[in-house]
Amino acid sequence: MHSELKLLVLAPPELEHRLLTLLAALGESQVSSDWRSAKPSDWHGVFCGQLSAEQDAWLSRAAASHLQVISVLPAHLVKADLESNSTLVLKDHCYYLEVLEVLYRLRARLSAPKELLSDMALSEEVVGVSPAICELRRLTRQVADKGVTVLITGPSGAGKELVARSLHKQSRRRDSPFVPINCGAIPRELLESELFGHERGAFTGAISSRAGRFELAEGGTLFLDEIGDMPLDMQVKILRVIQERQFQRVGSDKTRFADVRIVAATHRDLEAMIAAGEFREDLYYRLNVFPLRVPPLVERAEDVPHLVRVLCQQLRADGLGELRLAGSAMASLCEHHWSGNIRELANLLERLTIMYPDKVVGLGDLPDNYRYGEEHWRESTSIRSPLAGEVIEQNVLSASLPAEGLDMKAQMQALERAWIEQALLMHGGVVSKAAQHLGLRRTTLIEKIRKLAIHV
């Protein structure tokens, strides 16, 4: 689903197992804790907890390579500034969304040119690690300060306005207003007044003078969304403003100058509309000086987990609560076609947050049309439990008995330990919720935790 990362884990046994479990649940298959035989140049990143002297010496030798270090620290040592976009830091009792955040930053570091890393925060509106989104961010950065008109194309709900906002935020006009207007949502008889403003008495109901969007956007950016829905007679007036940089309010003969940067967007095929006589060719070429295409979500399925990360942060900030998705549910969302694009994903996550405020949302909790069976989930990943000393397979139980025999008790204990630890991780260490997830009584789970010496 996403670009493969090769990750090492250097940490004490308990933290090592926690990180290996979380990374496996997130679909990272190239993960190892065998640092002794690891060549630093073969790996992208290393998670470092409290290191032994031997591990510290290995990391010092690796400093000359391009290996990225993710520091895993006790919670009281992680300050707010260390969790900024410029650092790779985790709390030792992290949750999988926090790990996903760090993996996103790591991929951004590896994919972005060094000269752009300091500007990554400016393009946070454009989220993703897919080649198409990385190229979109590059082009946005390239044209941001040029002052030319930009035409953003792409399907409805794909995030065209977010790209426009990112463009404005990275431009010299960032301290002036960003003013959006949806050309298709305003009745044609009112659109001229909305854009250019009007004087008192200009038409029935104009009881006072009013500034239009061009005036409101003075010095900043005017975003003409759904420009393809603009009537032909209004297209002529917009063309004149672009060419002459001046306009008049409705009902006034006073010429006003427009110091605005125009960014337009549409989900329509404007060239086909030109051929059908529905869009002015001269306006098209004035707008299409620098085209940007926003790909539909179905073309960048590897970006779905990162969009979920950002959308869940927004839901939490809006006070709707914490949404937790199991790995199987996340994998299923990556398989969906997303005809409504990011808007559809955002609506689904909001619904799930309200419906399941106190549990991890699994595959079975998703609406029927978003379920794609377990066969669509990643291939099973082996994780070695440092305490049980056994290799167990995640998500798959094989019914084949090895010809050489096996220690059935040890295998079952290792599997039981892994499931309990994953349930505790998913529910932030809350035993009652983990027990509900595993279909056990709380007292039964407590006894198993004691018997298996699992740290909560």
Side-chain angles (χ1 to χ4, degrees):
M1 292 298 178
H2 48 239
S3 54
E4 289 289 339
L5 288 175
K6 298 185 70 175
L7 302 167
L8 276 172
V9 176
L10 273 66
E14 185 180 325
L15 179 57
E16 173 190 307
H17 183 53
R18 182 185 186 89
L19 290 170
L20 290 174
T21 302
L22 282 167
L23 291 168
L26 289 170
E28 299 296 338
S29 58
Q30 298 194 49
V31 184
S32 174
S33 58
D34 185 12
W35 54 273
R36 289 184 176 84
S37 60
K39 185 179 178 182
S41 59
D42 292 339
W43 300 86
H44 294 117
V46 54
F47 288 81
C48 294
Q50 184 177 358
L51 303 181
S52 65
E54 191 178 2
Q55 289 173 328
D56 194 48
W58 182 91
L59 190 61
S60 298
R61 293 193 298 272
S65 70
H66 297 293
L67 186 65
Q68 299 285 329
V69 177
I70 300 103
S71 301
V72 187
L73 306 173
H76 69 278
L77 295 179
V78 180
K79 299 178 181 178
D81 57 332
L82 288 179
E83 294 182 288
S84 68
N85 287 337
S86 60
T87 57
L88 297 175
V89 177
L90 271 177
K91 298 174 184 176
D92 53 2
H93 281 79
C94 52
Y95 181 59
Y96 84 96
L97 279 177
E98 296 167 315
V99 178
L100 186 62
E101 171 74 20
V102 165
L103 293 178
Y104 176 75
R105 295 179 192 173
L106 176 58
R107 283 191 170 90
R109 285 193 178 196
L110 295 171
S111 63
K114 289 183 178 179
E115 62 270 18
L116 296 185
L117 286 177
S118 61
D119 299 312
M120 286 299 293
L122 292 177
S123 58
E124 267 298 296
E125 291 89 351
V126 186
V127 175
V129 296
S130 63
I133 287 299
C134 290
E135 176 67 3
L136 179 59
R137 276 199 295 261
R138 185 188 72 81
L139 291 173
T140 301
R141 172 66 184 173
Q142 191 170 328
V143 76
D145 270 341
K146 297 299 186 289
V148 299
T149 55
V150 175
L151 179 62
I152 304 172
T153 59
S156 296
K160 296 187 290 297
E161 183 172 339
L162 292 176
V163 174
R165 289 185 181 276
S166 176
L167 191 67
H168 172 74
K169 191 175 178 181
Q170 297 179 72
S171 73
R172 294 188 183 96
R173 297 176 178 266
R174 66 177 69 93
D175 295 326
S176 296
F178 174 88
V179 179
I181 180 171
N182 189 319
C183 301
I186 299 173
R188 58 186 303 154
E189 60 272 13
L190 297 179
L191 185 57
E192 183 176 6
S193 172
E194 283 292 325
L195 286 169
F196 305 125
H198 62 257
E199 297 294 347
R200 179 180 179 182
F203 51 85
T204 303
I207 59 175
S208 63
S209 297
R210 182 172 180 269
R213 304 299 174 97
F214 272 94
E215 289 179 70
L216 295 175
E218 178 68 19
T221 301
L222 178 63
F223 177 53
L224 302 175
D225 197 9
E226 298 304 346
I227 189 73
D229 294 333
M230 180 177 284
L232 281 168
D233 57 340
M234 188 56 61
Q235 293 177 28
V236 177
K237 297 178 181 181
I238 289 291
L239 177 62
R240 179 175 176 270
V241 177
I242 295 175
Q243 290 174 333
E244 301 178 10
R245 294 291 170 180
Q246 57 187 30
F247 65 95
Q248 294 174 340
R249 284 184 178 181
V250 177
S252 171
D253 57 2
K254 179 183 176 181
T255 297
R256 300 172 185 268
F257 293 92
D259 177 22
V260 298
R261 199 250 185 97
I262 292 179
V263 177
T266 184
H267 71 283
R268 294 194 170 202
D269 183 346
L270 294 186
E271 292 184 352
M273 291 181 67
I274 291 170
E278 298 173 349
F279 199 85
R280 291 186 63 95
E281 187 173 16
D282 46 4
L283 177 58
Y284 173 71
Y285 289 118
R286 281 287 184 178
L287 295 172
N288 199 36
V289 175
F290 197 94
L292 293 174
R293 177 183 177 268
V294 183
L297 191 50
V298 71
E299 291 182 9
R300 52 186 187 108
E302 61 265 49
D303 292 336
V304 170
H306 303 290
L307 289 165
V308 169
R309 168 186 66 88
V310 172
L311 292 169
C312 285
Q313 289 173 352
Q314 293 175 357
L315 291 171
R316 185 169 61 249
D318 291 342
L320 289 181
E322 185 91 35
L323 176 63
R324 299 177 177 181
L325 292 174
S328 57
M330 183 73 81
S332 187
L333 296 184
C334 291
E335 294 290 335
H336 188 63
H337 184 72
W338 300 112
S339 57
N341 294 290
I342 298 174
R343 187 177 295 126
E344 180 186 356
L345 175 61
N347 290 343
L348 174 66
L349 296 179
E350 187 171 359
R351 187 196 323 167
L352 293 174
T353 304
I354 295 169
M355 290 177 64
Y356 305 108
D358 297 316
K359 66 171 288 187
V360 174
V361 177
L363 179 62
D365 298 315
L366 297 177
D368 291 345
N369 55 323
Y370 292 97
R371 292 183 200 168
Y372 299 84
E374 291 287 349
E375 69 273 10
H376 292 277
W377 180 227
R378 60 175 174 80
E379 294 180 0
S380 62
T381 303
S382 296
I383 302 176
R384 181 172 296 278
S385 167
L387 301 178
E390 296 292 336
V391 175
I392 58 137
E393 295 293 323
Q394 303 297 308
N395 295 326
V396 178
L397 282 176
S398 174
S400 301
L401 182 68
E404 66 276 14
L406 81 164
D407 185 339
M408 183 172 175
K409 182 178 179 181
Q411 287 278 353
M412 296 304 293
Q413 279 189 345
L415 180 62
E416 192 172 41
R417 166 184 291 279
W419 280 353
I420 292 173
E421 288 178 339
Q422 286 188 57
L424 289 169
L425 282 172
M426 286 179 175
H427 295 282
V430 179
V431 175
S432 58
K433 294 180 181 178
Q436 182 182 6
H437 193 100
L438 293 166
L440 298 174
R441 288 178 174 270
R442 181 176 178 275
T443 52
T444 303
L445 180 57
I446 291 174
E447 177 61 24
K448 288 181 179 292
I449 290 172
R450 185 194 63 76
K451 183 178 179 181
L452 296 170
I454 296 173
H455 176 73
V456 180

